[in-house]
């Protein structure tokens, strides 16, 4: 579980080689109508052939229910919400990822996210939903944890994202990132346009990363985050459930599957 590359920290592990090898991208569709597409992290033995997505935390507020994957934000004794994070078991460096899903952000303060991120480097491409804006989704990207929120772009108006399922797509290539909803592109960022003349670098996400989905309490964050998320969560509006029906991945680089060998105990 915590030896998995999306959780493991070699510098904090018992031995430097405690972390399992990274499983690389393959073209696949994860249909959450089937319970086998998702597993709790404690049950994952390191073989991505058996499970495409796993919960990242324990206790887990993610589960297979109603023929879909559901992530729930739950109120804690301190009044704050504890949500869920589900991550893919394979890393991707460029490709197209499409998720058919319904936001769980039915009240202000609740944030639902679909992200491609490398936690160690800080590169990220995302879709995020906030409870005070149910008829749109927000898009953004970050390079090396340079959290420039001014680059956020809101989608055109959609039907209620908390009631209707839409297909959200990120197309990521070495040249550009494209965000689309239901097959309609609403934003394109070209690598050539991310050049920083001061730092002399293209600030464009390029690190191999993991696809993840999460629901979290933005209203409990710092003032700027809470304001963006829509204020404190109104728990009378619960439950808050982020639902994902399926995720399709089409890799930019092909043929990496043969380089991965699961841990010796992966199928035990």
């Amino acid at each position: 579980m915590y030896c998995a590359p999306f959780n493991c920290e070699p510098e904090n592990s018992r031995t430097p080689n405690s972390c399992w090898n990274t499983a690389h991208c393959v073209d696949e569709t994860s249909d959450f109508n089937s319970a086998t597409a998702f597993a709790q992290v404690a049950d994952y033995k390191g073989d991505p052939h058996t499970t495409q997505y796993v919960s990242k935390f324990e206790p887990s507020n993610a589960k297979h229910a109603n023929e879909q994957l559901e992530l729930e934000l739950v109120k804690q004794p301190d009044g704050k919400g504890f949500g869920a994070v589900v991550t893919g078991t394979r890393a991707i460096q460029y490709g197209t990822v499409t998720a058919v899903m319904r936001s769980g952000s039915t009240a202000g303060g609740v944030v639902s996210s679909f992200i491609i991120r490398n936690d160690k480097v800080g590169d990220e491409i995302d879709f995020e939903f906030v409870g005070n804006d149910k008829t749109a989704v927000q898009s953004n990207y970050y390079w090396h944890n340079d959290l420039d929120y001014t680059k956020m772009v809101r989608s055109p108006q959609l039907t209620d994202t908390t009631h209707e399922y839409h297909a959200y797509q990120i197309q990521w290539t070495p040249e550009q990132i494209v965000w689309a909803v239901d097959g309609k592109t609403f934003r394109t960022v070209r690598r050539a346009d991310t050049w920083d003349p001061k730092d002399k670098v293209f600030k464009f996400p390029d690190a191999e990363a993991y696809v993840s989905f999460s629901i979290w309490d933005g209203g409990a964050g710092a003032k700027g985050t809470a304001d963006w998320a829509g204020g404190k969560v109104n728990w009378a509006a619960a439950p808050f459930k982020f639902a994902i029906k399926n995720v399709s991945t089409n890799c930019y680089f092909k043929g990496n599957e043969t380089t991965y060998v699961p841990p010796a105990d992966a199928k035990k």
Side-chain angles (χ1 to χ4, degrees):
M1 65 183 82
Y2 297 110
C3 298
F6 46 79
N7 274 342
C8 196
E9 298 177 354
E11 65 277 11
N12 295 320
S13 299
R14 189 169 298 175
T15 63
N17 60 352
S18 293
C19 298
W20 297 338
N21 291 331
T22 299
H24 300 288
C25 185
V26 296
D27 291 349
E28 63 183 358
T29 295
S30 303
D31 186 351
F32 296 112
N33 182 46
S34 167
T36 59
F38 166 74
Q40 301 298 342
V41 69
D43 299 325
Y44 181 59
K45 303 301 182 182
D47 187 352
H49 300 90
T50 62
T51 303
Q52 290 85 54
Y53 286 85
V54 298
S55 61
K56 199 169 181 180
F57 300 130
E58 292 181 300
S60 173
N61 288 327
K63 64 181 180 180
H64 175 261
N66 302 310
E67 300 183 331
Q68 60 191 359
L69 177 61
E70 294 184 352
L71 285 64
E72 185 172 7
L73 182 69
V74 179
K75 186 179 182 181
Q76 302 300 291
D78 63 1
K80 298 179 181 180
F82 183 74
V85 178
V86 168
T87 186
T89 55
R90 292 182 180 276
I92 181 172
Q93 186 177 31
Y94 309 123
T96 299
V97 183
T98 307
V100 177
M101 57 193 191
R102 183 188 67 200
S103 168
S105 303
T106 54
V110 183
V111 182
S112 304
S113 305
F114 161 24
I115 292 174
I116 302 175
R117 179 173 172 82
N118 182 310
D119 282 335
K120 295 173 183 176
V121 174
D123 284 2
E124 176 177 323
I125 306 165
D126 66 43
F127 277 112
E128 290 194 297
F129 305 85
V130 291
N132 60 345
D133 189 6
K134 298 177 185 177
T135 59
V137 64
Q138 299 179 5
S139 66
N140 213 334
Y141 71 98
Y142 306 109
W143 177 84
H144 289 203
N145 280 327
D146 182 6
L147 303 181
D148 183 356
Y149 302 115
T150 65
K151 297 198 305 290
M152 185 276 287
V153 171
R154 181 180 181 271
S155 73
Q157 185 166 331
L158 306 169
T159 56
D160 192 333
T161 60
T162 65
H163 287 284
E164 303 292 334
Y165 292 86
H166 296 277
Y168 300 88
Q169 184 178 86
I170 294 171
Q171 302 169 31
W172 178 32
T173 73
E175 292 80 30
Q176 64 182 20
I177 306 166
V178 175
W179 289 259
V181 181
D182 295 333
K184 297 178 181 178
T185 296
F186 72 89
R187 182 182 190 184
T188 300
V189 170
R190 294 176 176 80
R191 179 178 183 271
D193 296 330
T194 66
W195 175 254
D196 186 318
K198 180 181 178 181
D199 294 338
K200 294 181 170 52
V201 66
F202 289 101
K203 294 189 173 181
F204 182 84
D206 57 10
E208 191 172 36
Y210 288 91
V211 177
S212 68
F213 301 89
S214 62
I215 187 168
W216 51 284
D217 185 354
K223 185 180 186 304
T225 299
D227 290 346
W228 162 74
K232 299 293 185 182
V233 173
N234 174 17
W235 291 104
F240 305 115
K241 295 183 179 181
F242 183 19
I244 303 104
K245 284 190 173 293
N246 58 70
V247 183
S248 297
T249 302
N250 185 267
C251 315
Y252 184 85
F253 294 118
K254 311 291 184 182
N256 285 332
E257 166 66 5
T258 56
T259 67
Y260 181 73
V261 178
D265 63 346
K267 296 183 180 179
K268 291 183 181 179

